[in-house]
Amino acid sequence: MGSVSQTDLKIKIKSTSLVHPPIEVERRSMFLSNIDQFLNVDMGTVHFFSSNQAFPPSDVCEAVVRALRELLVPYDFLAGRLKEDPLTGRFEIDCNGAGAGFVVASTERALEDMGDLTCPSPDIVKLVPSKSLPGLEDWPLMVIQVTSFACGGFAMGISNNHITFDGISFKMFLDNLASLAAGGPLSVEPLNDRHLFSFRSPPSENIPNPDPVTLDEDIQTKGAAASTENIQTKLFHLTHSDIAALKDKANAAASAPTHSSFNVLTAHIWRCKSLSAADGTDPNSTLGVNYAVDVRPRLPLPASYTGNGIFISICSATYGELAEGTLSWVAELVREGAEIVTGEYVRSVVELLEGVPGHHGLAVLGGGLLVTSWWRLGLEGVEYPWGKVLCYMDTGGLGNDVAVLLLDFRGSGGVNVLVSLRGDEMERFEKLFYDLLK
């Protein structure tokens, strides 16, 4: 287990610039789906690379800028700016060629000085481009920062608006960036038509409307303010053997089909989070868990779709049920929650959101824990010309009651679970996390 630490990393910004497409691209307004509308929030990732004598950081910067410039033709929206239609209140992207951002930075520290690179800290967050950077006041939808370390290694920090990509399409973008940086062609031709995620209007009367989304901006504002108070973040390591033991425990009492690793891990984290609540919790109080489901194959959407093709599944149980229920029973709730998200279910909710003004920031979900997974996106497999990533870290979206599943880069075949909770819950959560593994 690890916790965030500080080493007072000092970053020197050498240059900031805007990268424009190499040719004039036709200006257009890009439609955003009703799912995109609720994801106007900046995301941050840091990708660490070991030293490569054939590719010093200066050469990496040149290759990234060259590749990014070429990508702004098929990904023309990344050079645009987000705007709001004053008549409809909907967000759209003005594909005006204003440019993506690029930052060159350095530090006198070595990568080994950073400690655990898989656990976010105030230092690691500094490796993601900041809105305070001079020359980028008109904040682009994507900014890439390459920071060189004294050891010759470097970090590529990427800030992008969630409206541009979900995790799956972000991985596709990185594959294309890596291919073009190596002088090759696009790995995948991106499909940018967000109308593919727009459906019948007015809504069909024959489809049950689950209505899982809260549209109260006041609640969102209050929740965001409260989420930053007294938050602790810790990293929990689960080996391949730990995961296998949890699956065996869950599947021993399960009827077919057997539980997946994700369902079992989500169930375990949900139980630990719920039972870590203060003593005396009402056994009838409802505790929820939220997690993303890829709906591309359920609608279906093409695999090359660049928009947000995810949907949040919500399931809940009472404190008493979670305290008394088996791991298998809780995992079954998680499995059923994902199965509810059929193509018709998604269409129903998307139709309900038609005409609802775009909101600033993530929509409020069903309350409780949010589990998000970067574990199996495959970012570790992207073939850059300077080598594969040493490790990567998601630095965006951490707040109260959040758990992020990440690949364990120690080669154990396991998973890192990054958990953010209030300080009064973390100690109880930590004890339960390991006790319930037994």
Side-chain angles (χ1 to χ4, degrees):
M1 185 198 67
S3 58
V4 297
S5 60
Q6 298 186 40
T7 60
D8 193 26
L9 181 70
K10 291 181 172 58
I11 300 291
K12 178 180 179 182
I13 302 299
K14 293 184 174 181
S15 66
T16 60
S17 60
L18 287 171
V19 179
H20 299 93
I23 61 174
E24 185 175 352
V25 179
E26 181 181 358
R27 186 168 184 173
R28 66 188 180 98
S29 289
M30 181 175 175
F31 171 84
L32 297 172
S33 78
N34 288 345
I35 300 300
D36 295 328
Q37 296 293 319
F38 287 87
L39 293 171
N40 179 21
V41 60
D42 288 326
M43 304 297 292
T45 56
V46 181
H47 311 252
F48 291 98
F49 298 89
S50 300
S51 174
N52 183 336
Q53 292 185 352
F55 271 94
S58 58
D59 288 357
V60 171
C61 289
E62 291 180 8
V64 171
V65 169
R66 183 182 68 251
L68 180 60
R69 180 178 294 114
E70 293 180 44
L71 285 174
L72 294 182
V73 177
Y75 290 96
D76 62 337
F77 59 92
L78 290 180
R81 296 295 183 267
L82 193 66
K83 67 178 183 179
E84 187 173 346
D85 188 314
L87 297 178
T88 65
R90 291 181 61 91
F91 289 123
E92 54 189 34
I93 297 178
D94 180 9
C95 300
N96 57 5
F102 187 75
V103 181
V104 180
S106 66
T107 176
E108 295 181 357
R109 296 295 185 96
L111 278 175
E112 63 182 17
D113 297 331
M114 296 293 293
D116 188 352
L117 297 176
T118 63
C119 192
S121 69
D123 280 341
I124 288 180
V125 171
K126 294 177 185 177
L127 301 172
V128 177
S130 166
K131 287 188 176 181
S132 63
L133 289 170
L136 295 178
E137 289 78 10
D138 180 19
W139 190 246
L141 291 173
M142 172 171 281
V143 183
I144 299 177
Q145 175 176 319
V146 175
T147 304
S148 57
F149 286 77
C151 60
F154 62 94
M156 183 169 68
I158 302 177
S159 173
N160 67 284
N161 193 308
H162 206 319
I163 276 179
T164 59
F165 298 124
D166 62 10
I168 293 170
S169 52
F170 180 61
K171 196 269 183 180
M172 182 176 70
F173 168 81
L174 292 181
D175 280 332
N176 281 329
L177 179 72
S179 182
L180 267 61
L186 288 174
S187 295
V188 182
E189 187 71 36
L191 182 57
N192 300 328
D193 185 2
R194 308 288 176 96
H195 286 95
L196 294 174
F197 211 151
S198 63
F199 304 109
R200 299 161 295 225
S201 182
S204 168
E205 296 180 358
N206 299 321
I207 300 175
N209 293 319
D211 193 19
V213 180
T214 299
L215 304 178
D216 187 333
E217 288 188 336
D218 291 335
I219 293 177
Q220 294 185 53
T221 302
K222 293 173 185 176
S227 67
T228 60
E229 298 176 1
N230 189 29
I231 301 303
Q232 288 188 11
T233 299
K234 289 190 176 182
L235 191 72
F236 299 85
H237 299 289
L238 290 176
T239 66
H240 175 76
S241 297
D242 291 331
I243 299 170
L246 277 174
K247 289 181 69 175
D248 288 344
K249 185 177 180 181
N251 289 328
S255 58
T258 56
H259 297 302
S260 69
S261 297
F262 176 82
N263 290 351
V264 171
L265 287 174
T266 300
H268 177 65
I269 297 166
W270 181 23
R271 289 179 81 201
C272 295
K273 152 61 185 158
S274 300
L275 301 182
S276 67
D279 293 340
T281 298
D282 181 354
N284 296 315
S285 60
T286 300
L287 303 164
V289 64
N290 312 287
Y291 47 96
V293 176
D294 176 23
V295 297
R296 285 170 174 80
R298 304 185 187 204
L299 288 173
L301 285 172
S304 58
Y305 179 72
T306 60
N308 287 280
I310 56 173
F311 199 84
I312 298 298
S313 177
I314 301 170
C315 55
S316 62
T318 67
Y319 179 91
E321 289 171 334
L322 292 168
E324 299 296 330
T326 64
L327 176 63
S328 181
W329 180 80
V330 180
E332 183 67 15
L333 289 182
V334 175
R335 185 185 67 80
E336 290 174 352
E339 288 186 348
I340 289 172
V341 184
T342 63
E344 289 297 274
Y345 180 105
V346 174
R347 289 183 178 91
S348 175
V349 176
V350 171
E351 290 166 1
L352 278 174
L353 297 177
E354 188 66 32
V356 176
H359 286 226
H360 299 264
L362 289 169
V364 173
L365 305 173
L369 178 71
L370 173 63
V371 178
T372 180
S373 179
W374 287 72
W375 178 22
R376 291 178 169 170
L377 287 179
L379 302 188
E380 70 282 356
V382 178
E383 296 276 1
Y384 298 95
W386 45 85
K388 292 183 179 180
V389 69
L390 179 65
C391 70
Y392 63 84
M393 168 52 58
D394 168 26
T395 65
L398 286 179
N400 187 36
D401 295 348
V402 174
V404 184
L405 306 184
L406 297 158
L407 182 68
D408 183 356
F409 282 89
R410 299 177 302 172
S412 72
V415 62
N416 290 333
V417 184
L418 186 65
V419 179
S420 292
L421 295 173
R422 288 182 296 273
D424 58 345
E425 289 186 90
M426 184 61 81
E427 184 176 352
R428 292 188 291 273
F429 178 91
E430 182 178 341
K431 185 175 187 304
L432 286 164
F433 189 88
Y434 293 110
D435 285 350
L436 294 179
L437 285 178
K438 301 172 184 176

